[in-house]
Amino acid sequence: VSAVMLRAIGALVVAFAMGKNVGPGASSGMQSLQSELGGHLACQACSWSARSFRFALSGKLKKKKKATPSKVRQSIEEACAEAKFPKQLAVTGEEGAEEYVDFQESMQKGGVSGNLRMEPKQKDNLIRACSTMLQEFEEEIVERAGKIKGRVGGFNWDKYLCVTTTQLCRKPNFQGDEDDEDEEDEEL
């Protein structure tokens, strides 16, 4: 058994013992982030990344045209750039229930409550998670986008990437809810 395998098994055992949701579909890079960030923030990072992919795809791919692999790749290549995420990203909430929030947007809606953390590392962690997801799942994104009939930006990428593929989340954090599965099946 290699040292890498032992570390991976150790991380899984520690995560399981701490009650963290390590999905079998999660890549080693995402599992590493999950160990570092905790299960809930890793899920949040996945959802924010999926949201960025959705915005990138919907902004570049037109409704009536087929999403060719080269167009999809071109659309998502900048999805993880710093400018694609909030200028002031914060983490709020109690341990085990933290979430990333756009600080400016939250202040406009009436403020943020509970354990606010605004270190620059929060945005760095989110960008790193997005880049890891792009590296690990680019082919799945390209393949899925090519199968979608209708608006590629209307597809629930959060559910597909974070709930189904990586299993980092139990439910989507953005775009729709658990009841939209039938709608997604019709798009494919």
Side-chain angles (χ1 to χ4, degrees):
V1 179
S2 72
V4 172
M5 285 294 291
L6 286 174
R7 280 196 302 271
I9 291 168
L12 289 170
V13 168
V14 168
F16 180 76
M18 295 176 72
K20 294 189 169 68
N21 176 26
V22 178
S27 66
S28 60
M30 290 307 292
Q31 287 176 349
S32 173
L33 277 168
Q34 187 175 32
S35 294
E36 181 184 331
L37 300 176
H40 199 74
L41 274 183
C43 166
Q44 286 279 310
C46 183
S47 292
W48 277 84
S49 300
R51 181 182 193 214
S52 186
F53 297 145
R54 180 173 68 91
F55 288 162
L57 288 165
S58 65
K60 299 266 183 166
L61 299 175
K62 300 301 174 206
K63 191 176 188 177
K64 304 261 183 200
K65 295 188 179 183
K66 181 159 175 61
T68 63
S70 63
K71 287 181 183 177
V72 173
R73 282 189 181 87
Q74 184 180 8
S75 297
I76 60 174
E77 70 184 10
E78 294 294 319
C80 299
E82 184 175 354
K84 300 297 181 183
F85 296 100
K87 288 182 181 177
Q88 290 186 297
L89 187 75
V91 172
T92 186
E94 300 301 319
E95 188 174 335
E98 304 101 329
E99 52 183 31
Y100 288 109
V101 295
D102 179 336
F103 181 75
Q104 292 300 321
E105 186 178 294
S106 295
M107 292 306 290
Q108 289 174 356
K109 290 180 180 178
V112 179
S113 61
N115 274 348
L116 180 68
R117 296 187 310 272
M118 285 188 58
E119 306 100 348
K121 75 175 187 174
Q122 304 304 344
K123 191 170 184 178
D124 293 343
N125 288 340
L126 192 55
I127 291 168
R128 191 164 40 105
C130 184
S131 298
T132 299
M133 284 188 65
L134 183 57
Q135 179 182 358
E136 298 288 332
F137 299 107
E138 180 177 9
E139 289 308 311
E140 285 88 340
I141 294 169
V142 169
E143 183 179 321
R144 179 56 62 132
K147 292 179 179 179
I148 295 171
K149 296 176 185 167
R151 293 181 327 110
V152 176
F155 182 73
N156 193 332
W157 291 99
D158 187 5
K159 182 175 182 180
Y160 174 69
L161 290 169
C162 305
V163 177
T164 306
T165 304
T166 65
Q167 298 178 0
L168 289 169
C169 301
R170 291 189 179 108
K171 63 180 184 170
N173 289 298
F174 295 114
Q175 189 187 355
D177 59 29
E178 296 179 76
D179 297 330
D180 62 0
E181 189 171 310
D182 294 334
E183 182 180 307
E184 285 179 23
D185 290 341
E186 290 172 12
E187 291 183 14
L188 299 178

